[in-house]
Amino acid sequence: IIHNAQGSIINAHAIAQHLHANDSITAIYAIATPALQAVAAVEKQKPILIAAVTDPHALGLIQDKSNICGATDMINVVGTVNAIKTILPNVNTIALIYNPAESNSITQIALLEKELYKNSIKTVHIGTTTEAEIPHAIASAVSKADALLTPTDNLIASAMPLVSHLARTAGKPLIAC
C-alpha cells in the first residue's frame, strides 16, 4: 500500500492514522522526517522502517526498545565544505537556505555553519517556511552571499526547480546537499 502526503502535514497525519488502524498492515515504511513524525505519533507497536530522515535521534523518537529503525540521509558535512572550497575557492559568504520548521534542516545547518566557520567562510541564514516565500528568500540570499547552499530540506527540495532557476538567473552557484 503506497500513500503520498504530497508535502502536507495534515495528509501525513491522516495517512498515519489510516495505516495504524489497518490491522492487515504489519509494518510501515516512512520516507522523510515529516512522514516519520506523523507515523511515530500514532504507531507504537508495528515496526516503522525509515529512510531519508536526517537525525531521528534528535527527534526523540528512537529510544531503547523502539519500534523504529532504518537509514538516515545525514550529509557528509566536512566533505561538502571541502568540495565547496575546491570548486569555489573565492567564496567568502554562503547563504544557508532552509526551512527553520524542519528539525532535519536545523541539525544540518548547525553542522554546516560550524564547519564553514572553521574554514573562514561566513554564513547568512535565509529561512523560509512556505513555497510562496521562496522567491523573496532567494532574492535576499543572492544579494547577501557569493553562493547559496541548501541542506537536505523537504520544502526546499520540493521547490528546487524554482530555487535553481532563481540562483542561475542571478549568476550565483547553488550547492544542494
Side-chain angles (χ1 to χ4, degrees):
I1 299 170
I2 299 172
H3 293 282
N4 186 336
Q6 301 295 324
S8 165
I9 299 300
I10 293 169
N11 289 349
H13 283 281
I15 291 167
Q17 290 287 348
H18 169 76
L19 297 173
H20 171 69
N22 186 336
D23 290 335
S24 70
I25 294 174
T26 57
I28 300 169
Y29 185 53
I31 301 173
T33 302
L36 170 59
Q37 289 172 309
V39 171
V42 297
E43 186 55 64
K44 305 301 181 199
Q45 299 300 316
K46 297 173 187 173
I48 302 170
L49 308 168
I50 62 170
V53 176
T54 303
D55 191 356
H57 295 282
L59 297 172
L61 300 174
I62 296 186
Q63 301 160 5
D64 287 344
K65 299 183 182 181
S66 173
N67 62 326
I68 302 168
C69 69
T72 75
D73 63 356
M74 178 59 82
I75 61 171
N76 177 341
V77 173
V78 172
T80 298
V81 173
N82 286 340
I84 290 168
K85 288 174 37 187
T86 300
I87 297 167
L88 303 168
N90 297 319
V91 166
N92 294 312
T93 304
I94 291 183
L96 302 171
I97 304 163
Y98 63 102
N99 180 354
E102 289 190 34
S103 62
N104 49 300
S105 297
I106 298 299
T107 297
Q108 292 175 76
I109 289 296
L111 296 170
L112 285 162
E113 187 171 43
K114 182 178 177 182
E115 191 64 25
L116 288 164
Y117 177 79
K118 282 200 278 185
N119 286 275
S120 301
I121 299 173
K122 296 178 195 120
T123 59
V124 176
H125 288 245
I126 306 291
T128 180
T129 57
T130 68
E131 198 166 325
E133 297 171 350
I134 288 176
H136 176 71
I138 301 302
S140 177
V142 299
S143 72
K144 296 176 180 178
D146 305 318
L148 288 63
L149 186 146
T150 68
T152 307
D153 180 291
N154 295 294
L155 173 67
I156 303 301
S158 69
M160 191 51 72
L162 174 61
V163 172
S164 63
H165 171 76
L166 294 171
R168 192 172 40 254
T169 299
K172 299 287 179 156
L174 171 64
I175 299 100
C177 295

